[in-house]
Amino acid sequence: MSFRGIVGNKELIEALAAELEHRPYHAYLLIGAASIGKALVAQSLAHSVLCERSPGVNFCCTPEHCAVRTMPAGTAGARAGTSLRCDCCAACVQIATGVHPDLIYVARSPKRTEVLIEQVRDFIQRLGVRPSRGTRRIAIIDDAETLNIPAQNALLKTIEEPPAQTVIFLVTRSERALLDTMRSRMRPVRFGPLEAAEIEAVLITRTGMAREPAAGFARLARGNLARAFALAEGADPPMTELLKALVGASAIDFVEAQALAQQFFGTRDDATTNFELIARMLEEMLCCKLLQTELNAPSPEAARMMTQFAQTVDTATLGALLKRILDAHAAVDEMANPRLQAENWWMAARAALRGQ
């Protein structure tokens, strides 16, 4: 299969796979925005090392649509009880279902805000056991930006000197959330956001969507494949509600700003998603105003509100709003309080729209 089924960052992935095959570093830090496939790449690299039929870049599994598991963007998960036939080797099936003894995978639990120190201690303990199916072992820590300080300190020695024949991958969307001493012990690998054309092609292929709406969703997704699917399904994020709040932001008060922060920016994941969505809408409006380009919007109502807002707000104010929301997004990535950042942004939007 090789890595052909993975969207984006092709040259980077191929170079990383070649390095892992011939002369790997002991620990890698995979850095990039949410939902661009970093964890899928890490697991695919595990396949390339541990596959018993065809190790290397042509490993036999197909991670993006493996018959024995469902692979949500950016996560490693398995679907039990499937009746679909799988032609993967035994090792790849074990990797796909999360039971391979030489693959150690740790991630933040869905109901938790961080990777727990107990998970890290178990991770370190399991690394002390020799590989059982082969001679090499892969260890992955996803959501590494949520490792707290005690957990990072506990990992330092292991990251610096892993057991022999072990390669560790930490997957993060914010390297600044990690201690300098952690970052200095790993080789950074930075993933770029997915191109709009790449996302558009995936939407068309996987959903049968027409090219025009697929192009609009792809642009609004800001390089995030999961967000593109969410927009296409009309689910999350709440674009219409956020647009209405933005259009009326000049009249907002602190109580309303608090309510918006609580409703749409209450968790780090929600804040990241919705800050990026508003940023993309502001970019669209700036392009429309400056370049006379057509607005990309997922619905006629959204297009109407964006057009109205762009016509009534000058370019300098739009630019200031965009800069402030990108700053807020960066602060959340560096583990600042998401609700506080949202409250501050909505009040700053109020002041900017009033010319203050």
Side-chain angles (χ1 to χ4, degrees):
M1 172 267 169
S2 76
F3 293 85
R4 291 190 302 273
I6 298 177
V7 179
N9 293 286
K10 296 292 187 182
E11 293 182 1
L12 177 66
I13 294 169
E14 290 172 1
L16 187 56
E19 179 179 321
L20 193 63
E21 184 174 358
H22 298 292
R23 193 174 181 181
Y25 201 70
H26 67 275
Y28 293 86
L29 182 61
L30 308 187
I31 308 159
S35 297
I36 60 171
K38 304 182 300 299
L40 179 57
V41 169
Q43 193 176 42
S44 298
L45 291 168
H47 279 285
S48 74
V49 170
L50 301 174
C51 177
E52 294 173 346
R53 179 185 298 159
S54 180
V57 295
N58 293 311
F59 59 90
C60 66
C61 191
T62 310
E64 81 280 9
H65 50 77
C66 181
V68 297
R69 49 95 182 273
T70 298
M71 179 61 64
T75 67
R79 180 178 62 194
T82 180
S83 61
L84 296 176
R85 182 172 178 269
C86 180
D87 293 322
C88 302
C89 69
C92 281
V93 171
Q94 287 186 328
I95 294 169
T97 53
V99 297
H100 195 292
D102 298 332
L103 172 62
I104 305 172
Y105 178 84
V106 173
R108 174 174 58 89
S109 298
K111 295 183 179 180
R112 297 284 185 175
T113 59
E114 59 187 30
V115 176
L116 303 178
I117 183 67
E118 291 81 8
Q119 293 176 276
V120 171
R121 289 171 179 157
D122 179 67
F123 176 85
I124 295 170
Q125 184 177 9
R126 292 178 63 191
L127 281 179
V129 179
R130 295 175 62 86
S132 60
R133 285 193 69 107
T135 60
R136 301 180 71 186
R137 177 171 43 199
I138 300 295
I140 301 170
I141 299 180
D142 201 356
D143 306 311
E145 70 277 358
T146 68
L147 288 164
N148 59 27
I149 300 302
Q152 292 187 51
N153 284 326
L155 270 172
L156 284 176
K157 183 64 175 177
T158 300
I159 293 294
E160 184 174 17
E161 297 181 9
Q165 301 302 311
T166 297
V167 178
I168 298 175
F169 293 96
L170 264 66
V171 181
T172 183
R173 64 189 186 195
S174 174
E175 60 183 310
R176 295 182 182 180
L178 298 175
L179 297 170
D180 290 342
T181 47
M182 281 280 287
R183 297 201 304 268
S184 67
R185 287 164 166 78
M186 296 177 283
R187 187 166 96 70
V189 180
R190 292 181 172 84
F191 288 70
L194 302 181
E195 298 290 338
E198 294 171 333
I199 296 177
E200 177 186 337
V202 173
L203 287 174
I204 293 171
T205 300
R206 297 188 188 176
T207 70
M209 184 180 297
R211 183 169 299 279
E212 185 175 349
F217 291 130
R219 285 178 58 84
L220 286 171
R222 287 179 56 85
N224 185 312
L225 188 58
R227 185 176 304 112
F229 278 107
L231 286 167
E233 293 167 1
D236 181 47
M239 186 173 190
T240 302
E241 292 88 339
L242 291 172
L243 261 175
K244 288 179 179 178
L246 182 61
V247 169
S250 62
I252 203 171
D253 59 26
F254 185 67
V255 173
E256 291 170 317
Q258 282 186 314
L260 286 168
Q262 177 66 37
Q263 184 176 2
F264 300 116
F265 305 86
T267 68
R268 198 168 308 281
D269 288 342
D270 286 346
T272 297
T273 295
N274 291 330
F275 276 142
E276 287 186 356
L277 178 59
I278 295 174
R280 181 67 230 179
M281 291 190 290
L282 289 169
E283 286 178 356
E284 283 292 319
M285 289 184 277
L286 271 172
C287 289
C288 176
K289 204 171 182 70
L290 292 172
L291 305 176
Q292 304 301 309
T293 58
E294 185 176 348
L295 276 170
N296 279 289
S299 69
E301 183 182 9
R304 179 186 59 77
M305 287 191 288
M306 290 169 67
T307 300
Q308 178 186 359
F309 191 74
Q311 290 173 345
T312 56
V313 179
D314 61 73
T315 54
T317 301
L318 286 173
L321 291 173
L322 178 58
K323 181 181 183 306
R324 283 183 176 274
I325 206 160
L326 292 176
D327 289 344
H329 179 275
V332 170
D333 265 353
E334 294 175 24
M335 308 308 285
N337 185 295
R339 280 181 291 183
L340 181 59
Q341 291 298 317
E343 290 170 7
N344 290 340
W345 185 81
W346 284 109
M347 295 309 296
R350 175 184 187 273
L353 291 170
R354 290 185 169 199
Q356 298 173 357

